[in-house]
Amino acid sequence: MINFFKKKEIDVLIVAEGTYPYIRGGVSTWIHQLITGMPDINFGIVFLGSKKEDYGDIVYDLPKNLVYLETEYLFGNSHRFEPEIMNGSNKKFEDIIKLQNWFRKKELSPMPQNIKNIDFYLKHITKKEFLYSKNSWDIIQSEYLSFTPESAFIDYFWTVRNMHSPIWNVASIASKIKCFKIVHSPSTGYAGFLGALLGFNYKKPFILTEHGIYTRERKIDMLNADWLIDNRTIFQKELGTISHIKNMWIKFFEGIGKISYEAANPIISLFENARKIQIAYGAAPEKTKVVPNGIDIEKFKKLRHLRKEKIPKVITLIGRVVPIKDIKTFIKAMRIAANRIKDIEGWIVGPENEDPDYAKECRLLVETLGLKNHIKFLGFQRVEDILPKTGILTLSSISEGMPLVVIEGFGAGVPAVTTDVGSCSQLIYGGIDEEDRKIGSAGEVVPIANPSKLAQAYIKLFENENLWEKCQSNAIKRVETYYTMEVFLNNYKNIYTEAIQNWQV
Amino acid sequence: MAGIGFELRKILSEKRLFSILKAYGYSAAVSSGPWLISIISILIAGFIAKIYLKDQQIVTQFQVTITYLIAISLIFTSFFQLSFTRYIADRIFEKKINKILPNLLGAIGFNMVFGFFFIFPFALIFINSAGVLYSLLFTFSFTVLCGIWIANVVLSGLKNYKFIILSFFLSYFLILVLVFTFGKLGLNALLASFFAGHAMLFFLLAGLIIKKYPSDKLVEFDFLNGKMFRSLIFTGFFYNAAVWADKFIFWFHPQTSGHVLGFLRDSAIYDLPIFLAYLAIAPGMAVFLLRVETDFAQKYEEYYSAAREGATLAHIYKSGNEMIEAARTALIEIIRIQSIITIMLIIFSEPIFKMLDMPLLYLPLFYIDLVATQLQLFFMSLLAIMFYLDRKRSVFILTFFFLVLNVGLTFLSIELGPYFFGYGFALSLLIVSTAGMYLLNKDFERLHYETFMLQ
């Protein structure tokens, strides 16, 4: 559904998967900054959601230069039709087998041409054929029998269907979009796939920025997914192996990740480690590039004056209350820290509606550990209100890209203690270049899922005011040198200009 | 990062259930129930009347009246029988048991009220020669029969076989006693006995249903809100109309019929052999109930729970094969048992006819009727299996052709002369049974594919 189209040429079309403008979060903020930061460029957004009922209203004030907004759902009922008996053609399904073999290959090999073509999905092998044809059934059966003959067939069957159906939905969405100059996706996944199809078919430049590594995040989702019943018996299960169905999802996301990497140029990451992972997942090294996020430094500078003389004994975790943020480890660390520092407080600032069960578990844990006086769930808050009252900004995530809140915290003069994920160590210890490292540490980085290390770091910073102040000044210096909005926007302006120039040549 | 990945949980848990399973248990009502009741009524009534009454004309009038009552009420309620059975099966599947009673009473009321207003003018105008009292009794009997046919929808699910059989026994015993006591008073007394017996049966069954299905509501018309399948409405009609088509043609064709009472006519040559032939399928009927409704139904249930509840594909294949095997066994056994009976009856038909004091002239027609009724039983079994598999389209087509063929071929058989009487009915059943087997075979070949992919 097209929400609006202001009849102006779209310079940059952003494909947002489950983020802007319906869900708040790191990526959404990033998109919002990009658009508001370049008022002379016209942006369009294609929002890809899972199902209509999973989303509420638009939560951002849409900028004037957002000239186009389209909202699409990948798993909804809108793409369904009446089942009918179909035979399908053997010739076509040979193509599918070839594709599957390509996806399964470990080493890099040239991508089959047909998957780049929208017509392949809309005309050659239609969604109807995928869903209902006898050929498709034969493939599903034989794949099941050769890979996971011991698992529940019904689960396997629906996994295959649910996983692949969106491919056709994406193709049909792609076929309707036409006028834009550049397509830019902030992730691989289905959004990256849409970007790739648009790029291939309309011969337009496709820019990929990965905040986290989508493929890896899905892998974490899958490994944590208790909703996929593993019905292997204890005898069938070798220690450390994961069920085929989980593996299928992981392989699938790796597969469509490859397509995104093939199509995109440049492939941008936020920090050096992420760039290396992209290369490991199949991105051509010469196409990769690091562009860190930036913040509006003036806004955060002001916050420093609002700080009280005394360091507030408040540790703030800004982030959605979801498993990937590992809020529970933070809560446990707070228990240890509170034993030492009686007036310590932990604030959890972020929406709890995304995974209500998990949020409930967290609140229960707070109660069980007797932390009711130490931990507050504040829901969504303006960071400007929170940061001046914060002594340490923390993240206990098991996965992160480049967490904007850490940079914002630095801007406002708040040191950070985080787990060793994403770009955190680069942010806290410095890592962009030699100069950056010389600045020194702006907090501390600890291993993931380790409450006691986390607590020790809190205690160390609170009990040693000199150290805290040193970290604060390092943080401010680092953010003002490397992570400002000017640097960030300039980088992207150049990338857009370059993309258009290269394309016109 | 807030991606779609987080939403995958909701998507897999949405696993759509097999709609097919909803169909479970709506085959029994296809015909076995009403069929048995009607044949028994017609024959018992006839024999009783024959034994206690001297007046052959009144006996014929009574027997023909009952035949018409049953035929017209079955066809009249046929629009509801299947589709409403499915409606009930769906509610049972959804575990909305409290919907059953109010809607059943709603449907019974609906059919009885419309049945009354449909038949009353007909009885007054077309059968007026027998008097107003006759017309009233005709109307009441018809109305009560409509109620019984609809109530029959849930009988097989009640499992209170003892009570049901006792109800039938008591009701027919009442008819017997009344005919014996008041039969001499004439046609109206006979018809009143018939009505009284069936009214008692209706109330006994209704009482059982009310007791068995608790609900806080008494009457509801939820079933009229588009929840019944249109194809089943017509399938029910086609089937019932087809089963009676050849009889009506013989009753009204000038060459084969005679006047009985008012608008009612019969066919002296056609009726007796065919109703006798229907008696002969009783053993096959028992096999049908045992093999289809018990063995096959159980395998069917096993197959779909294997598919639905996370069995491996190997196990699903195995259950599927067992189900197909059960269907095959049922069909083969029905043919086998019924063929033995048919052959025996053909061999011994002469002495039997002599014993019953019936003209041997009927024999050729009786032979072909034996084949025809056997085929009808076979066809019924095919339909029942198809209902289990929820092949609404196939059943719709088959019953439609059954009607068309029976009408066409019966007319043709009359044109061809007495030696061909009965062949129209038999041939139409042979054709649709063969076609049915072909379709069922196709369905079984594609069983797993259709179960999984076509949803």
Side-chain angles (χ1 to χ4, degrees):
Chain A
M1 178 196 74
I2 293 171
N3 301 51
F4 61 80
F5 184 25
K6 293 182 186 160
K7 298 287 167 216
K8 282 181 192 158
E9 208 171 0
I10 304 165
D11 298 314
V12 180
L13 184 70
I14 296 178
V15 187
E17 180 178 317
T19 53
Y20 194 79
Y22 291 95
I23 302 277
R24 286 185 189 278
V27 175
S28 298
T29 312
W30 179 89
I31 294 173
H32 193 67
Q33 284 174 347
L34 203 59
I35 300 175
T36 43
M38 304 187 194
D40 47 339
I41 292 180
N42 289 332
F43 283 89
I45 293 271
V46 180
F47 172 84
L48 293 183
S50 49
K51 282 190 284 179
K52 195 173 177 28
E53 55 269 32
D54 297 335
Y55 305 93
D57 295 327
I58 289 172
V59 291
Y60 283 87
D61 282 336
L62 299 178
K64 273 208 181 86
N65 58 325
L66 182 67
V67 297
Y68 177 81
L69 176 63
E70 179 177 346
T71 307
E72 301 284 356
Y73 302 101
L74 294 179
F75 295 96
N77 284 324
S78 54
H79 303 279
R80 195 164 292 161
F81 15 64
E82 267 305 294
E84 60 175 273
I85 294 174
M86 296 175 90
N87 280 325
S89 102
N90 291 327
K91 170 81 193 60
K92 289 177 184 177
F93 280 83
E94 276 165 25
D95 293 341
I96 295 231
I97 305 265
K98 270 185 211 153
L99 278 185
Q100 282 180 319
N101 290 336
W102 179 79
F103 271 114
R104 289 213 179 91
K105 260 187 214 155
K106 281 254 164 15
E107 71 276 17
L108 294 174
S109 54
M111 181 178 295
Q113 282 305 308
N114 44 13
I115 49 174
K116 299 179 181 177
N117 193 342
I118 293 181
D119 284 344
F120 179 70
Y121 309 94
L122 298 182
K123 296 195 183 116
H124 190 55
I125 297 174
T126 62
K127 189 177 177 193
K128 244 184 160 163
E129 277 173 280
F130 162 68
L131 287 177
Y132 305 127
S133 76
K134 221 151 173 281
N135 264 312
S136 158
W137 169 241
D138 291 340
I139 291 180
I140 293 174
Q141 281 184 103
S142 76
E143 296 265 300
Y144 166 87
L145 289 174
S146 49
F147 292 111
T148 176
E150 300 297 329
S151 68
F153 181 70
I154 183 85
D155 289 344
Y156 177 85
F157 179 78
W158 280 111
T159 302
V160 171
R161 273 205 168 180
N162 287 331
M163 187 189 287
H164 293 88
S165 299
I167 293 282
W168 278 272
N169 304 343
V170 167
S172 97
I173 293 165
S175 70
K176 287 177 215 143
I177 300 170
K178 280 189 182 81
C179 46
F180 62 91
K181 286 183 189 157
I182 297 173
V183 57
H184 187 175
S185 169
S187 68
T188 59
Y190 296 114
F193 180 62
L194 176 57
L197 279 186
L198 288 172
F200 283 133
N201 284 274
Y202 303 122
K203 308 267 182 296
K204 299 279 168 80
F206 167 42
I207 296 167
L208 174 67
T209 302
E210 276 196 281
H211 289 249
I213 302 298
Y214 186 97
T215 314
R216 236 169 56 135
E217 284 178 2
R218 291 297 79 74
K219 199 164 175 173
I220 293 166
D221 280 351
M222 285 304 138
L223 296 177
N224 287 325
D226 48 0
W227 46 275
L228 276 171
I229 305 149
D230 191 342
N231 63 351
R232 293 172 299 174
T233 65
I234 192 92
F235 298 109
Q236 290 167 328
K237 213 182 298 190
E238 279 174 51
L239 214 60
T241 60
I242 55 168
S243 81
H244 182 72
I245 287 180
K246 287 184 180 184
N247 214 6
M248 270 163 66
W249 281 106
I250 295 168
K251 285 270 173 306
F252 175 79
F253 286 123
E254 281 177 13
I256 55 173
K258 277 193 207 172
I259 301 175
S260 298
Y261 287 155
E262 166 97 7
N265 191 11
I267 301 167
I268 301 163
S269 51
L270 303 185
F271 51 97
E272 185 54 27
N273 274 347
R275 192 179 78 91
K276 285 180 186 146
I277 298 169
Q278 286 178 328
I279 293 169
Y281 273 112
E286 66 276 11
K287 292 202 287 186
T288 58
K289 201 172 191 147
V290 174
V291 179
N293 281 339
I295 57 162
D296 178 1
I297 195 70
E298 294 308 317
K299 189 168 116 189
F300 290 94
K301 242 181 202 168
K302 282 183 222 147
L303 301 181
R304 295 177 209 158
H305 306 301
L306 299 176
R307 300 188 70 82
K308 300 242 164 66
E309 193 59 40
K310 209 170 156 301
I311 302 164
K313 295 274 187 294
V314 172
I315 303 170
T316 303
L317 189 155
I318 300 177
R320 296 162 296 123
V321 182
V322 292
I324 207 165
K325 300 281 180 193
D326 200 6
I327 309 287
K328 287 179 185 170
T329 290
F330 172 61
I331 295 170
K332 289 176 200 158
M334 280 304 294
R335 179 64 267 170
I336 301 168
N339 291 343
R340 179 78 170 255
I341 305 170
K342 298 297 169 206
D343 56 344
I344 199 166
E345 276 189 42
W347 294 358
I348 296 168
V349 179
E352 290 168 52
N353 51 7
E354 189 172 302
D355 190 341
D357 291 340
Y358 185 76
K360 221 167 138 191
E361 284 167 31
C362 287
R363 282 172 177 270
L364 208 70
L365 186 64
V366 168
E367 243 171 83
T368 319
L369 296 180
L371 285 169
K372 277 192 112 172
N373 298 324
H374 292 286
I375 291 187
K376 290 180 186 160
F377 288 88
L378 299 179
F380 178 79
Q381 300 281 337
R382 278 158 34 98
V383 281
E384 296 91 317
D385 300 336
I386 296 294
L387 288 176
K389 298 172 195 156
T390 297
I392 298 173
L393 194 98
T394 194
L395 286 177
S396 49
S397 312
I398 50 174
S399 176
E400 277 292 344
M402 171 159 275
L404 210 63
V405 283
V406 173
I407 308 175
E408 289 173 343
F410 286 0
V414 187
V417 173
T418 72
T419 43
D420 189 10
V421 289
S423 65
C424 288
S425 108
Q426 179 184 309
L427 287 172
I428 291 172
Y429 298 137
I432 289 187
D433 49 34
E434 206 40 49
E435 291 300 308
D436 190 17
R437 266 186 286 277
K438 273 186 190 155
I439 292 172
S441 77
E444 194 160 335
V445 176
V446 300
I448 57 162
N450 195 331
S452 67
K453 284 268 166 61
L454 209 51
Q456 278 164 26
Y458 299 152
I459 294 164
K460 197 165 111 192
L461 272 176
F462 276 146
E463 290 190 341
N464 185 344
E465 283 191 19
N466 285 338
L467 176 67
W468 189 91
E469 271 157 19
K470 183 82 188 90
C471 287
Q472 182 186 44
S473 67
N474 290 348
I476 291 170
K477 191 163 181 203
R478 178 163 296 130
V479 71
E480 289 184 350
T481 322
Y482 295 99
Y483 299 99
T484 62
M485 192 56 76
E486 288 77 40
V487 177
F488 167 74
L489 290 174
N490 266 333
N491 276 326
Y492 272 103
K493 250 177 222 161
N494 291 338
I495 288 165
Y496 288 153
T497 322
E498 225 170 274
I500 289 180
Q501 274 170 357
N502 287 347
W503 170 68
Q504 279 166 339
V505 170
Chain B
M1 190 187 72
I4 273 174
F6 297 108
E7 308 300 336
L8 293 175
R9 168 208 290 264
K10 291 172 198 158
I11 289 144
L12 196 78
S13 64
E14 181 213 31
K15 255 181 244 171
R16 277 166 292 277
L17 223 54
F18 293 86
S19 59
I20 297 117
L21 201 85
K22 288 186 188 167
Y24 180 68
Y26 76 105
S27 76
V30 174
S31 19
S32 49
W35 211 207
L36 281 172
I37 304 169
S38 43
I39 300 291
I40 292 170
S41 320
I42 294 170
L43 288 157
I44 288 188
F47 280 110
I48 297 167
K50 205 168 191 176
I51 293 164
Y52 295 109
L53 292 172
K54 299 281 162 332
D55 190 340
Q56 183 56 42
Q57 201 201 343
I58 289 184
V59 174
T60 310
Q61 284 177 346
F62 177 46
Q63 215 167 355
V64 169
T65 304
I66 291 170
T67 311
Y68 273 74
L69 278 171
I70 287 171
I72 303 172
S73 62
L74 274 177
I75 295 171
F76 181 79
T77 55
S78 65
F79 296 98
F80 268 79
Q81 284 172 33
L82 279 176
S83 48
F84 186 66
T85 313
R86 172 63 186 256
Y87 171 85
I88 294 286
D90 283 353
R91 299 295 86 76
I92 291 174
F93 180 79
E94 296 170 0
K95 302 216 161 33
K96 287 185 181 163
I97 301 298
N98 61 343
K99 283 260 171 212
I100 295 178
L101 181 69
N103 282 290
L104 186 67
L105 293 182
I108 288 175
F110 185 87
N111 275 279
M112 287 175 80
V113 168
F114 275 83
F116 180 86
F117 287 111
F118 163 76
I119 207 72
F120 191 47
F122 172 86
L124 272 184
I125 296 162
F126 293 108
I127 331 177
N128 55 1
S129 56
V132 178
L133 185 58
Y134 174 89
S135 294
L136 276 176
L137 285 169
F138 190 91
T139 306
F140 289 144
S141 300
F142 177 86
T143 310
V144 111
L145 280 174
C146 289
I148 291 175
W149 300 148
I150 301 296
N152 177 70
V153 161
V154 295
L155 281 191
S156 66
L158 282 177
K159 310 277 179 224
N160 281 45
Y161 301 118
K162 268 189 194 160
F163 183 87
I164 295 170
I165 291 171
L166 190 71
S167 309
F168 275 93
F169 181 77
L170 282 175
S171 311
Y172 283 90
F173 186 71
L174 178 69
I175 298 177
L176 205 102
V177 170
L178 289 175
V179 167
F180 187 65
T181 321
F182 304 105
K184 292 174 218 71
L185 299 176
L187 183 59
N188 284 344
L190 287 173
L191 198 51
S193 314
F194 178 84
F195 168 68
H198 282 90
M200 179 163 135
L201 178 61
F202 174 71
F203 285 117
L204 284 172
L205 295 180
L208 176 68
I209 289 163
I210 291 172
K211 189 166 162 260
K212 280 299 209 174
Y213 290 110
S215 176
D216 44 2
K217 264 190 189 169
L218 203 58
V219 178
E220 202 179 61
F221 295 95
D222 182 49
F223 62 93
L224 290 175
N225 300 335
K227 285 188 183 165
M228 301 205 301
F229 289 89
R230 200 173 303 154
S231 77
L232 287 176
I233 294 177
F234 288 103
T235 302
F237 169 71
F238 291 152
Y239 181 76
N240 280 287
V243 163
W244 291 99
D246 58 310
K247 286 115 194 142
F248 273 102
I249 291 169
F250 271 90
W251 293 336
F252 287 94
H253 199 287
Q255 285 172 30
T256 56
S257 62
H259 174 259
V260 178
L261 184 68
F263 160 84
L264 311 183
R265 304 171 67 83
D266 72 348
S267 171
I269 184 164
Y270 195 72
D271 293 350
L272 189 61
I274 192 131
F275 287 119
L276 274 180
Y278 273 126
L279 253 197
I281 61 169
M285 200 77 122
V287 176
F288 162 77
L289 287 173
L290 187 74
R291 291 285 176 230
V292 178
E293 301 296 346
T294 315
D295 291 359
F296 174 77
Q298 190 196 338
K299 295 291 178 199
Y300 164 91
E301 169 87 59
E302 279 170 22
Y303 172 69
Y304 284 101
S305 33
R308 211 177 57 246
E309 277 146 27
T312 62
L313 192 56
H315 185 85
I316 295 169
Y317 285 161
K318 187 172 154 278
S319 316
N321 287 340
E322 283 175 8
M323 179 176 83
I324 293 169
E325 189 56 37
R328 225 168 67 100
T329 313
L331 293 173
I332 289 176
E333 231 169 89
I334 288 165
I335 294 186
R336 197 179 285 154
I337 302 275
Q338 206 47 51
S339 298
I340 294 172
I341 307 263
T342 303
I343 291 165
M344 300 252 288
L345 281 173
I346 289 176
I347 294 170
F348 294 108
S349 53
E350 277 200 40
I352 295 173
F353 268 54
K354 278 180 185 153
M355 206 172 72
L356 290 174
D357 194 24
M358 288 193 295
L360 295 181
L361 196 71
Y362 283 134
L363 278 179
L365 182 53
F366 179 63
Y367 296 154
I368 190 66
D369 279 344
L370 278 176
V371 174
T373 52
Q374 175 179 358
L375 281 170
Q376 190 184 330
L377 180 68
F378 183 75
F379 183 56
M380 224 168 72
S381 316
L382 275 174
L383 292 185
I385 291 170
M386 286 177 162
F387 277 126
Y388 271 97
L389 300 179
D390 202 29
R391 298 294 180 261
K392 290 192 283 290
R393 226 175 85 94
S394 301
V395 177
F396 176 86
I397 294 168
L398 285 174
T399 50
F400 172 73
F401 277 104
F402 180 27
L403 176 60
V404 171
L405 286 170
N406 196 15
V407 170
L409 294 175
T410 299
F411 271 116
L412 188 66
S413 72
I414 293 175
E415 289 308 310
L416 292 174
Y419 279 107
F420 293 92
F421 289 179
Y423 279 85
F425 184 46
L427 191 60
S428 63
L429 277 161
L430 182 67
I431 293 170
V432 290
S433 295
T434 313
M437 272 207 296
Y438 174 79
L439 290 177
L440 189 62
N441 192 40
K442 269 260 171 297
D443 281 337
F444 276 145
E445 272 172 21
R446 294 187 299 232
L447 177 67
H448 309 295
Y449 160 70
E450 290 190 19
T451 303
F452 283 96
M453 294 293 276
L454 299 190
Q455 53 173 329

